[in-house]
C-alpha cells in the first residue's frame, strides 16, 4: 500500500486503498500543539463573557439537579453530572477577575446555566473628568 502524507506526530493519515481510514483521520485531525479535536457536532458547553461576569451553558440532557455536582478549587470550576451510565465532566478555569462566591446555577430542560459575577474592582466603570473652569459659548449675534 502507498501511504499518504504523514502529519507532524508521525501518524499516517491513511492509505490510497483505505478511504474509511482516511476519512476517520481527517475527521479527528488535531492541529499541532492544540487540545481541540474537530467535530461536526456542536460543543456541549458555551462560555459567554459580559461586563458583569461570565455565563457557562452546558447541555446535560436527562440529568436531574440532584445528580449535578459543582465545585470550585484553585480557580477551576468542575461540573459533573450523571444519568444512568452516562457521565458528564467539564472543567472551566475561571479568570482571577471572577468572584467564586457569586456562582449561581440553574438547570432547565437539560441545560445547566452557571453564572458568576466579576469582582467589583474588575467591572468597568465610568470615570468623571473634572475641569478647571466651565466655559460657555456666546451664541448671540455679533455687534
Amino acid at each position: 500500500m502507498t501511504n499518504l502524507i504523514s502529519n507532524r506526530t508521525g501518524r499516517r493519515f491513511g492509505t490510497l486503498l483505505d478511504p474509511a481510514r482516511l476519512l476517520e483521520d481527517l475527521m479527528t485531525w488535531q492541529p499541532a500543539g492544540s487540545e481541540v479535536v474537530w467535530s461536526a457536532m456542536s460543543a456541549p458547553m458555551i462560555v459567554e463573557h459580559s461586563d458583569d461576569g461570565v455565563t457557562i451553558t452546558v447541555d446535560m440532557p436527562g440529568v436531574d439537579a440532584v445528580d449535578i455536582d459543582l465545585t470550585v478549587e484553585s480557580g477551576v470550576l468542575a461540573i459533573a453530572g450523571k444519568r444512568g451510565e452516562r457521565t458528564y465532566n467539564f472543567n472551566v478555569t475561571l479568570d482571577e477577575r471572577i468572584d467564586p462566591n457569586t456562582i449561581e446555577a440553574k438547570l432547565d430542560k437539560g441545560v445547566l446555566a452557571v453564572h458568576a459575577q466579576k469582582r467589583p474592582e474588575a467591572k468597568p466603570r465610568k470615570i468623571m473628568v473634572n475641569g478647571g473652569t466651565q466655559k460657555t459659548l456666546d451664541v448671540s449675534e455679533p455687534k
Side-chain angles (χ1 to χ4, degrees):
M1 286 195 223
T2 306
N3 286 329
L4 293 177
I5 319 168
S6 61
N7 67 9
R8 292 182 184 179
T9 61
R11 183 171 177 229
R12 301 281 180 209
F13 273 117
T15 64
L16 292 175
L17 300 176
D18 190 2
R21 172 70 190 267
L22 177 62
L23 181 63
E24 176 191 348
D25 286 343
L26 289 174
M27 291 185 67
T28 59
W29 179 74
Q30 182 175 346
S34 74
E35 296 180 12
V36 178
V37 177
W38 179 86
S39 174
M41 297 173 27
S42 63
M45 181 173 63
I46 299 170
V47 179
E48 297 174 306
H49 296 272
S50 68
D51 289 342
D52 293 335
V54 64
T55 302
I56 303 162
T57 308
V58 183
D59 290 338
M60 301 178 99
V63 177
D64 290 327
V66 295
D67 295 327
I68 295 176
D69 185 33
L70 297 172
T71 57
V72 177
E73 184 178 345
S74 302
V76 176
L77 172 65
I79 303 170
K82 186 166 181 157
R83 176 185 174 215
E85 297 296 316
R86 173 80 170 134
T87 58
Y88 299 91
N89 289 303
F90 302 97
N91 290 322
V92 180
T93 302
L94 299 175
D95 191 350
E96 64 272 355
R97 297 175 294 173
I98 301 297
D99 185 1
N101 297 322
T102 64
I103 296 176
E104 298 174 346
K106 180 182 178 185
L107 183 67
D108 185 30
K109 298 179 183 173
V111 178
L112 176 68
V114 181
H115 184 74
Q117 297 285 327
K118 284 185 180 177
R119 297 178 192 275
E121 62 271 12
K123 291 182 182 180
R125 60 185 176 93
K126 285 276 195 184
I127 300 171
M128 298 297 293
V129 178
N130 295 322
T133 59
Q134 185 175 9
K135 294 184 180 180
T136 58
L137 296 176
D138 185 14
V139 291
S140 62
E141 292 186 28
K143 298 177 185 176

